[in-house]
Amino acid sequence: MVLFPSFFDGISKKGKKKKKDGGKEAAEAMANDARKKELMLSSSGIVNSNNSHNFASVCSQRGQKGINQDRLLVWEEFGCQEDMIFCGIFDGHGAWGHVVAKRVRESVASSLLCNWQETLAMKSPQIELDDHFDIWKHSYLKTYAAVDLDLKLNPQLGSFSSGTTALTMIKQGDHLVIANVGDSRAVLATASDDDGRLIPIQLTVDFKPNLPQEAERITQSKGRVFCLNDEPGVYRVWMPNGKRPGLALSRAFGDYCVKDFGLISIPDVTHRTITTRDQFVILATDGLWDVISNKEAIEIVSSTPKRKKSAKRLVQCATQAWKDNKRGIAMDDISAICLFFHDSNSPSQQVEKPAK
């Protein structure tokens, strides 16, 4: 049996009024408190609380296409729970992609807290472990639907023809719950049973329009999926007339001009139980994965002497790869989060480094 204490307990002790929107106010109060305690990070840097062995390193770098449209967030002690951490990475696109990505970053975490608490309230105080994933999945689905609706109801944000990906993850004790919309990617580094070398495990699907199940949904909704002549292999979603938006994603927040033609914001929600062999996870936007393989990424991170520099080094390596392998193509924005599971001095960290 696993006990899930109410995150409102801490708020009520501080004298917050109970009202209809108390859940939202409580979550916002927690976010403000986390910022003051430096438990929340939304730009390049590191975060590590005094009560946890979790260690997150993050870095974001503008590409060559204008303003950096990537946004990210790490929230240690998420919901005032010492064993929880929230990570999210958002890749905006379109003229107002940076605005949409910022809005989604600011609303997803707090909304998820509220929905998680509401879901728990419908259950017994003591929850069976088997229900753990269902609770989070229900909370995630409700959250992503609400966040996308918020964009629709606020057209001034530019979400009719702009949008963002959203890859978010909750680590609660030994459980990872991942929700993915778009083509940002999460990759786990785990030690092999055979020789202890680190191997990559991709935890998410890159939701591109040419994936069979995605293409079928789009075409059934009268949307179109095809490549332009000067972009062989780059499949995009188009309206029936084929004139726009040319979106290289099959799932995204916003982009309401094509939501009636197969684009969705429903996340793929998955779960993994962390073992002692699992070392860290990388969340990164496609600007990194376009030039760095899963294997290369975990080798770069694991070979970085100081954890706090791991995300920065990963982004630097991707930047160099763009220069070497993508000449003539404007470099995309590149952002990464590296979340380590174990203390650097713990036995679980004593695994053989990958051969160079």
Coordinates of all heavy atoms in Angstrom, one line a residue, residues 93 161 207-211 214-228 231 234-252 254-264:
H93 N 6.5 26.6 -32.0 CA 6.6 26.8 -33.5 C 5.6 27.7 -34.0 O 4.5 27.9 -33.3 CB 6.5 25.4 -34.2 CG 5.2 24.7 -33.8 ND1 5.2 23.7 -32.9 CD2 4.0 24.8 -34.3 CE1 3.9 23.2 -32.8 NE2 3.2 23.9 -33.7
S161 N -2.6 29.6 -35.3 CA -1.6 29.2 -36.3 C -0.2 29.0 -35.7 O 0.8 28.9 -36.4 CB -1.5 30.1 -37.5 OG -1.2 31.5 -37.0
F207 N 6.2 11.9 -32.4 CA 4.9 11.9 -33.1 C 5.0 12.7 -34.4 O 4.7 13.9 -34.4 CB 3.8 12.4 -32.2 CG 3.4 11.4 -31.2 CD1 3.6 11.6 -29.8 CD2 2.7 10.3 -31.6 CE1 3.2 10.6 -28.9 CE2 2.3 9.3 -30.7 CZ 2.6 9.5 -29.4
K208 N 5.5 12.0 -35.4 CA 5.5 12.6 -36.8 C 4.3 12.2 -37.6 O 3.7 11.2 -37.4 CB 6.8 12.1 -37.5 CG 8.1 12.4 -36.7 CD 8.4 13.9 -36.7 CE 9.8 14.2 -36.2 NZ 10.1 15.7 -36.2
P209 N 3.9 13.0 -38.5 CA 2.7 12.8 -39.3 C 2.7 11.5 -40.1 O 1.6 11.0 -40.4 CB 2.6 14.0 -40.2 CG 3.3 15.1 -39.5 CD 4.5 14.3 -38.9
N210 N 3.9 11.0 -40.5 CA 3.9 9.8 -41.3 C 3.8 8.5 -40.5 O 3.8 7.4 -41.1 CB 5.2 9.8 -42.2 CG 6.4 9.8 -41.4 OD1 6.5 10.6 -40.4 ND2 7.4 9.0 -41.7
L211 N 3.8 8.5 -39.2 CA 3.6 7.3 -38.4 C 2.2 6.7 -38.8 O 1.2 7.5 -38.9 CB 3.6 7.6 -36.9 CG 5.0 8.0 -36.3 CD1 4.8 8.3 -34.8 CD2 6.0 6.8 -36.5
E214 N -0.8 7.7 -36.9 CA -1.1 9.2 -36.9 C -1.6 9.6 -38.3 O -2.5 10.4 -38.4 CB 0.3 9.9 -36.6 CG 0.8 9.6 -35.2 CD 0.0 10.0 -34.1 OE1 -0.1 11.2 -33.8 OE2 -0.6 9.1 -33.4
A215 N -1.0 9.1 -39.3 CA -1.4 9.4 -40.7 C -2.8 9.0 -41.0 O -3.6 9.7 -41.6 CB -0.4 8.7 -41.7
E216 N -3.2 7.8 -40.4 CA -4.6 7.3 -40.6 C -5.6 8.3 -40.0 O -6.6 8.6 -40.6 CB -4.7 5.9 -40.0 CG -6.1 5.4 -40.2 CD -6.2 4.0 -39.6 OE1 -5.2 3.5 -39.0 OE2 -7.3 3.4 -39.7
R217 N -5.3 8.7 -38.8 CA -6.2 9.7 -38.1 C -6.3 11.0 -38.9 O -7.4 11.5 -39.0 CB -5.7 9.9 -36.7 CG -6.6 10.8 -35.9 CD -6.0 11.3 -34.5 NE -4.9 12.2 -34.7 CZ -3.6 11.8 -34.4 NH1 -3.3 10.6 -33.9 NH2 -2.6 12.7 -34.6
I218 N -5.2 11.5 -39.3 CA -5.2 12.7 -40.1 C -6.0 12.6 -41.4 O -6.8 13.5 -41.7 CB -3.7 13.2 -40.3 CG1 -3.1 13.5 -39.0 CG2 -3.7 14.4 -41.3 CD1 -1.5 13.7 -39.1
T219 N -5.7 11.6 -42.1 CA -6.4 11.4 -43.4 C -7.9 11.2 -43.2 O -8.7 11.6 -44.0 CB -5.8 10.3 -44.2 OG1 -5.7 9.1 -43.5 CG2 -4.3 10.7 -44.6
Q220 N -8.3 10.5 -42.2 CA -9.7 10.2 -41.9 C -10.4 11.5 -41.5 O -11.6 11.6 -41.7 CB -9.8 9.2 -40.8 CG -9.5 7.8 -41.2 CD -9.8 6.8 -40.1 OE1 -10.0 7.1 -38.9 NE2 -9.8 5.5 -40.5
S221 N -9.6 12.5 -41.0 CA -10.2 13.8 -40.7 C -10.1 14.8 -41.8 O -10.3 16.0 -41.7 CB -9.4 14.4 -39.5 OG -9.6 13.5 -38.3
K222 N -9.7 14.3 -43.0 CA -9.6 15.0 -44.2 C -8.4 15.9 -44.3 O -8.2 16.8 -45.2 CB -10.9 15.9 -44.5 CG -12.1 15.0 -44.7 CD -13.3 15.9 -45.0 CE -14.6 15.0 -45.2 NZ -15.8 15.8 -45.5
G223 N -7.4 15.7 -43.3 CA -6.2 16.4 -43.4 C -5.3 15.7 -44.4 O -5.6 14.6 -44.9
R224 N -4.2 16.3 -44.8 CA -3.3 15.7 -45.8 C -1.9 15.5 -45.2 O -1.4 16.4 -44.3 CB -3.2 16.5 -47.0 CG -4.6 16.6 -47.7 CD -4.5 17.5 -49.0 NE -3.6 16.9 -50.0 CZ -3.2 17.5 -51.1 NH1 -3.5 18.7 -51.3 NH2 -2.4 16.8 -52.0
V225 N -1.1 14.5 -45.6 CA 0.2 14.3 -45.1 C 1.1 14.1 -46.3 O 0.9 13.1 -47.1 CB 0.3 13.0 -44.2 CG1 1.8 12.8 -43.8 CG2 -0.6 13.2 -42.9
F226 N 2.1 15.0 -46.5 CA 3.0 14.8 -47.6 C 4.2 15.6 -47.4 O 4.3 16.5 -46.5 CB 2.3 15.1 -49.0 CG 1.9 16.5 -49.1 CD1 2.7 17.5 -49.6 CD2 0.5 16.8 -48.9 CE1 2.3 18.8 -49.7 CE2 0.1 18.2 -49.0 CZ 0.9 19.2 -49.4
C227 N 5.3 15.4 -48.2 CA 6.5 16.1 -48.2 C 6.5 17.1 -49.3 O 6.0 16.9 -50.4 CB 7.7 15.2 -48.4 SG 7.8 13.8 -47.2
L228 N 7.2 18.2 -49.1 CA 7.5 19.2 -50.2 C 8.7 18.7 -51.0 O 9.5 17.9 -50.6 CB 7.8 20.6 -49.6 CG 6.7 21.3 -48.9 CD1 7.2 22.6 -48.3 CD2 5.5 21.5 -49.7
E231 N 12.0 19.1 -49.6 CA 12.2 18.5 -48.2 C 11.9 17.1 -48.3 O 11.0 16.6 -47.6 CB 11.3 19.2 -47.2 CG 11.6 20.6 -46.8 CD 10.8 21.1 -45.7 OE1 9.5 20.9 -45.7 OE2 11.3 21.7 -44.7
V234 N 10.6 14.8 -45.1 CA 10.0 15.6 -44.0 C 8.5 15.7 -44.2 O 8.0 16.5 -45.0 CB 10.7 17.0 -44.0 CG1 10.0 17.8 -42.8 CG2 12.2 16.9 -43.8
Y235 N 7.8 14.8 -43.6 CA 6.3 14.8 -43.7 C 5.7 15.8 -42.9 O 6.1 16.1 -41.7 CB 5.8 13.4 -43.4 CG 6.2 12.3 -44.3 CD1 7.4 11.6 -44.2 CD2 5.3 12.0 -45.4 CE1 7.8 10.7 -45.2 CE2 5.7 11.0 -46.3 CZ 6.9 10.4 -46.2 OH 7.2 9.4 -47.1
R236 N 4.7 16.5 -43.4 CA 4.0 17.5 -42.7 C 2.5 17.4 -42.8 O 2.0 16.7 -43.7 CB 4.4 18.9 -43.3 CG 5.9 19.2 -43.1 CD 6.2 20.6 -43.7 NE 7.6 20.9 -43.6 CZ 8.1 21.5 -42.5 NH1 7.4 21.8 -41.5 NH2 9.4 21.7 -42.4
V237 N 1.7 18.0 -41.9 CA 0.3 18.0 -41.9 C -0.2 19.2 -42.6 O 0.2 20.4 -42.3 CB -0.3 18.0 -40.4 CG1 -1.8 18.0 -40.5 CG2 0.2 16.8 -39.7
W238 N -1.1 19.0 -43.5 CA -1.7 20.1 -44.3 C -3.2 20.1 -44.2 O -3.8 19.1 -44.0 CB -1.3 20.1 -45.8 CG 0.2 20.0 -46.0 CD1 1.0 18.8 -45.9 CD2 1.1 21.1 -46.2 NE1 2.3 19.1 -46.1 CE2 2.4 20.5 -46.3 CE3 1.0 22.4 -46.4 CZ2 3.6 21.3 -46.6 CZ3 2.1 23.2 -46.6 CH2 3.4 22.6 -46.7
M239 N -3.8 21.3 -44.4 CA -5.3 21.4 -44.5 C -5.7 20.7 -45.9 O -4.8 20.4 -46.7 CB -5.7 22.8 -44.5 CG -5.4 23.5 -43.1 SD -5.9 25.2 -43.1 CE -7.6 25.1 -43.2
P240 N -6.9 20.4 -46.0 CA -7.4 19.7 -47.3 C -6.9 20.4 -48.6 O -6.7 19.7 -49.6 CB -8.9 19.7 -47.1 CG -9.2 19.7 -45.7 CD -8.1 20.6 -45.1
N241 N -6.8 21.8 -48.5 CA -6.4 22.5 -49.7 C -4.9 22.4 -49.9 O -4.4 22.9 -50.9 CB -6.9 23.9 -49.7 CG -6.4 24.7 -48.5 OD1 -5.4 24.3 -47.8 ND2 -7.0 25.8 -48.2
G242 N -4.2 21.9 -48.9 CA -2.7 21.7 -49.0 C -1.9 23.0 -48.9 O -0.7 23.0 -49.2
K243 N -2.6 24.1 -48.5 CA -1.9 25.3 -48.4 C -1.2 25.6 -47.1 O -0.2 26.4 -47.0 CB -2.8 26.5 -48.8 CG -3.3 26.4 -50.2 CD -4.2 27.6 -50.6 CE -4.6 27.6 -52.0 NZ -5.5 28.8 -52.4
R244 N -1.7 25.1 -46.0 CA -1.1 25.3 -44.7 C -1.6 24.3 -43.7 O -2.6 23.6 -44.0 CB -1.3 26.8 -44.2 CG -2.8 27.1 -43.8 CD -2.9 28.5 -43.3 NE -4.1 28.7 -42.6 CZ -4.5 29.8 -42.0 NH1 -3.6 30.8 -41.9 NH2 -5.6 29.9 -41.4
P245 N -1.0 24.2 -42.5 CA 0.1 24.9 -42.0 C 1.5 24.3 -42.3 O 2.5 24.9 -42.0 CB -0.1 24.9 -40.5 CG -0.7 23.6 -40.3 CD -1.6 23.3 -41.5
G246 N 1.5 23.1 -42.9 CA 2.8 22.4 -43.1 C 3.5 22.1 -41.8 O 4.7 22.4 -41.6
L247 N 2.8 21.5 -40.9 CA 3.3 21.2 -39.6 C 3.9 19.8 -39.5 O 3.3 18.8 -39.9 CB 2.1 21.3 -38.6 CG 2.5 21.1 -37.1 CD1 3.4 22.2 -36.6 CD2 1.2 21.1 -36.2
A248 N 5.2 19.8 -39.1 CA 5.9 18.5 -39.1 C 5.7 17.7 -37.8 O 6.6 17.0 -37.3 CB 7.4 18.8 -39.2
L249 N 4.5 17.8 -37.2 CA 4.1 17.1 -36.0 C 2.7 16.6 -36.2 O 1.9 17.2 -37.0 CB 4.1 18.1 -34.8 CG 5.4 18.8 -34.5 CD1 5.1 19.9 -33.4 CD2 6.4 17.8 -33.9
S250 N 2.3 15.5 -35.5 CA 1.0 15.0 -35.6 C 0.2 15.3 -34.3 O -1.0 15.1 -34.2 CB 1.0 13.5 -35.8 OG 1.7 12.8 -34.8
R251 N 0.9 15.8 -33.3 CA 0.3 16.2 -32.0 C 1.0 17.4 -31.5 O 2.2 17.6 -31.5 CB 0.5 15.1 -30.9 CG -0.1 13.7 -31.4 CD -0.2 12.7 -30.2 NE -0.6 11.4 -30.7 CZ -1.1 10.4 -30.0 NH1 -1.2 10.6 -28.7 NH2 -1.4 9.3 -30.5
A252 N 0.2 18.4 -31.0 CA 0.7 19.6 -30.5 C -0.4 20.4 -29.8 O -1.6 20.2 -30.0 CB 1.3 20.5 -31.7
G254 N -2.2 24.0 -29.3 CA -2.5 25.1 -30.2 C -2.7 24.6 -31.6 O -3.3 23.6 -31.8
D255 N -2.3 25.4 -32.6 CA -2.4 25.1 -34.0 C -3.9 24.8 -34.3 O -4.2 23.8 -35.0 CB -1.5 23.9 -34.4 CG -0.1 24.2 -34.3 OD1 0.4 25.2 -35.0 OD2 0.6 23.6 -33.5
Y256 N -4.8 25.6 -33.9 CA -6.2 25.4 -34.0 C -6.7 25.4 -35.5 O -7.8 24.9 -35.8 CB -7.0 26.3 -33.2 CG -7.2 25.7 -31.8 CD1 -6.4 26.0 -30.8 CD2 -8.3 24.8 -31.6 CE1 -6.5 25.4 -29.5 CE2 -8.5 24.2 -30.3 CZ -7.6 24.5 -29.3 OH -7.7 23.9 -28.1
C257 N -5.9 26.0 -36.4 CA -6.2 26.0 -37.8 C -6.3 24.6 -38.4 O -6.9 24.4 -39.4 CB -5.3 26.9 -38.6 SG -3.6 26.2 -38.6
V258 N -5.6 23.6 -37.7 CA -5.6 22.3 -38.3 C -6.2 21.2 -37.3 O -6.1 20.1 -37.5 CB -4.2 21.9 -38.7 CG1 -3.3 21.7 -37.6 CG2 -4.2 20.8 -39.7
K259 N -6.7 21.7 -36.1 CA -7.2 20.8 -35.1 C -8.4 20.0 -35.7 O -8.7 18.8 -35.2 CB -7.6 21.5 -33.9 CG -6.4 21.8 -32.9 CD -6.0 20.5 -32.2 CE -4.7 20.6 -31.5 NZ -4.6 21.6 -30.4
D260 N -9.2 20.5 -36.6 CA -10.3 19.8 -37.2 C -9.8 18.8 -38.3 O -10.7 18.0 -38.8 CB -11.3 20.7 -37.8 CG -12.0 21.5 -36.8 OD1 -12.1 21.1 -35.6 OD2 -12.5 22.7 -37.1
F261 N -8.6 18.7 -38.6 CA -8.0 17.9 -39.6 C -7.0 16.9 -39.1 O -6.1 16.5 -39.9 CB -7.5 18.7 -40.7 CG -8.4 19.7 -41.3 CD1 -8.3 21.1 -41.0 CD2 -9.5 19.3 -42.1 CE1 -9.2 22.0 -41.5 CE2 -10.5 20.2 -42.5 CZ -10.3 21.6 -42.3
G262 N -7.2 16.4 -37.9 CA -6.4 15.3 -37.4 C -5.3 15.6 -36.4 O -4.8 14.7 -35.7
L263 N -4.9 16.9 -36.2 CA -3.9 17.2 -35.2 C -4.6 17.1 -33.8 O -5.7 17.6 -33.7 CB -3.4 18.6 -35.4 CG -2.3 19.1 -34.4 CD1 -1.0 18.4 -34.8 CD2 -2.2 20.6 -34.4
I264 N -4.0 16.5 -32.9 CA -4.5 16.4 -31.5 C -3.5 16.8 -30.5 O -2.3 16.9 -30.7 CB -5.0 14.9 -31.2 CG1 -3.8 14.0 -31.3 CG2 -6.1 14.5 -32.2 CD1 -4.2 12.5 -30.9

